[in-house]
Amino acid sequence: MAHKHNFGAGPCILPQEVFQEASQAVLDFNGLSILEVSHRSPEFVSVMNEAIALVKEALKVPEGYSVVFLQGGASLAFLISAMNMSGANKKAGYINTGVWATKAIKEAKNANLEVVEVASSSDHSFNYIPKDYTIPVDLDFVHFTSNNTIYGTQFKSFPQTDKPLVCDMSSDIFSRTINVADFDLIYAGAQKNLGPAGATLVIVKDAIFGKSTYGTIPTYLNLETHAKKESMFNTPPVFSVYVSMLNLRYLVKNGGVEAMEKRNQAKADLLYNEIDANPLFRGTTAKEDRSNMNATFVLTDESHTEGFNKAWTAAGIVGLKGHRDVGGYRASMYNALEIESVQVLVDVMKKFAAENA
Ligand SMILES: *Cc1c(COP(=O)(O)O)cnc(C)c1O
């Protein structure tokens, strides 16, 4: 089949080289398929260790942090992060920037925390990032979602606070440089920018271990369990970790997060410039908060919907439909999406405008 341009929001596109290596390992990883190999085999233990080391290298994770791979996705990490970060006040601040933040708030309550919504952009359908707010002094931590996959908004600078910061980075981790030392806990489902679905990445400050006020945290949900066992407490998601490791190798070999950030900026600029210049389209979020990962836009005249859908489909583009809660279009431009694919979309938009002027 002809190669498609995958603008889907997740699971994500990965480099072709990674797909090829992964497919090879399905047939022969160490004489066995990666799908049948024991997670206790030395070959897989070294994959896990390399994956953890590559995360540390790519994000310059400082001493005093553990990197763990779990299952359950970001959705379980909503609960895990709240349980493990529960502090003296059993009270946490959440910045509500949409569906995922709202789900995180729900799970914090399930972890018996009192939740203060320190800021929210619900007044404008979550189309911007709240900026002016004060953070109460009696919070155990502040939680935010660095990139709002559904709406296409992204924190360009992170909340300023002396409280521990907890962040759902599912859809923009490894897309830009971050200072891990600013955070106590970062989590991300693998399938948005790291690898295949099945693994959840958590980066956690070791100093939090043993300090939770939640009570007895169930064994699997206690991050210390996994940190102590180097993510081998139980059977890890072997294939997802393996392919994530391949993708991290590729990332580091190709200039790392710094190079990726430049590439992602160039892709985003190319598309947003077209959205702004083309009278048939309009961006849906505040310009200063536009996500470099997920660009959301609508047609200025909905009667063009059928024609535009035909045009991009014919160009081999897939995954451009907006989230069912929001409608319109969403172009997800994760790390592995080539700028050539963005150019194909921009050309379709230009041609469509010329034909429908
Ligand atoms: C996709 C997504 C989630 C949910 O991830 P799962 O791994 O499917 O639970 C949470 N937060 C953000 C920002 C996401 O993009």
Side-chain angles (χ1 to χ4, degrees):
M1 262 174 85
H3 182 65
K4 303 269 191 203
H5 304 283
N6 184 8
F7 285 87
C12 64
I13 179 174
L14 294 169
Q16 288 301 314
E17 197 176 307
V18 169
F19 286 140
Q20 257 154 26
E21 269 182 273
S23 66
Q24 181 52 41
V26 168
L27 297 172
D28 179 10
F29 169 66
N30 63 347
L32 295 177
S33 164
I34 186 70
L35 303 181
E36 64 178 332
V37 76
S38 164
H39 61 291
R40 304 282 175 200
S41 64
E43 291 84 0
F44 183 74
V45 171
S46 93
V47 165
M48 179 61 92
N49 291 340
E50 186 176 349
I52 290 170
L54 285 165
V55 170
K56 290 183 175 174
E57 182 180 349
L59 296 177
K60 299 186 171 63
V61 177
E63 287 293 304
Y65 283 79
S66 292
V67 170
V68 296
F69 283 95
L70 307 179
Q71 303 194 50
S75 296
L76 186 57
F78 296 152
L79 179 67
I80 290 176
S81 54
M83 277 183 171
N84 283 265
M85 290 298 299
S86 176
N89 299 306
K90 295 199 175 198
K91 190 171 173 183
Y94 277 68
I95 301 176
N96 190 354
T97 50
V99 166
W100 298 121
T102 303
K103 290 188 176 180
I105 289 169
K106 184 175 170 210
E107 295 310 309
K109 290 175 180 165
N110 282 335
N112 301 331
L113 292 175
E114 182 187 334
V115 173
V116 181
E117 210 177 271
V118 295
S120 169
S121 47
S122 65
D123 56 345
H124 286 101
S125 314
F126 300 112
N127 73 357
Y128 71 102
I129 297 290
K131 287 167 202 84
D132 295 319
Y133 48 87
T134 42
I135 292 173
V137 292
D138 61 342
L139 301 178
D140 295 334
F141 64 90
V142 173
H143 177 286
F144 71 105
T145 315
S146 56
N147 183 70
N148 295 282
T149 327
I150 293 173
Y151 314 89
T153 63
Q154 186 175 35
F155 281 81
K156 300 297 171 179
S157 60
F158 297 147
Q160 293 299 310
T161 171
D162 58 353
K163 305 291 162 212
L165 272 183
V166 176
C167 187
D168 174 2
M169 282 194 196
S170 292
S171 54
D172 68 353
I173 195 159
F174 301 113
S175 74
R176 56 173 169 171
T177 56
I178 54 165
N179 184 18
V180 173
D182 292 342
F183 299 88
D184 274 33
L185 200 158
I186 294 167
Y187 60 88
Q191 73 277 10
K192 301 283 167 54
N193 211 18
L194 175 59
T200 321
L201 175 65
V202 180
I203 304 171
V204 57
K205 201 181 228 173
D206 296 335
I208 75 153
F209 294 151
K211 304 244 173 71
S212 169
T213 57
Y214 172 78
T216 306
I217 302 176
T219 311
Y220 189 91
L221 306 184
N222 191 338
L223 290 172
E224 194 176 4
T225 304
H226 302 280
K228 271 194 179 152
K229 300 277 184 182
E230 278 139 358
S231 298
M232 288 288 189
F233 163 69
N234 68 333
T235 316
V238 169
F239 187 68
S240 180
V241 171
Y242 176 67
V243 181
S244 297
M245 185 279 287
L246 294 179
N247 191 36
L248 287 162
R249 263 189 199 163
Y250 182 91
L251 173 75
V252 167
K253 196 176 75 192
N254 288 280
V257 173
E258 292 79 6
M260 205 49 76
E261 180 166 9
K262 286 204 190 101
R263 230 171 88 93
N264 289 331
Q265 188 63 49
K267 289 186 284 178
D269 288 346
L270 178 61
L271 181 55
Y272 284 120
N273 286 341
E274 182 59 26
I275 290 169
D276 290 340
N278 192 318
L280 260 54
F281 299 94
R282 179 169 55 76
T284 54
T285 65
K287 281 191 182 175
E288 71 274 17
D289 302 325
R290 282 173 163 176
S291 168
N292 284 3
M293 293 284 98
N294 315 95
T296 50
F297 56 97
V298 291
L299 281 160
T300 46
D301 176 353
E302 285 199 1
S303 72
H304 291 311
T305 302
E306 210 189 312
F308 181 57
N309 289 351
K310 272 196 187 141
W312 58 261
T313 306
I317 289 170
V318 295
L320 199 65
K321 283 251 169 75
H323 187 274
R324 59 191 179 279
D325 288 355
V326 179
Y329 299 96
R330 170 174 55 173
S332 297
M333 298 175 283
Y334 295 122
N335 284 356
L337 187 82
E338 299 289 347
I339 196 161
E340 287 75 17
S341 291
V342 181
Q343 189 64 54
V344 168
L345 172 58
V346 165
D347 290 346
V348 167
M349 292 165 78
K350 279 191 203 299
K351 185 158 173 266
F352 192 69
E355 288 166 359
N356 291 279

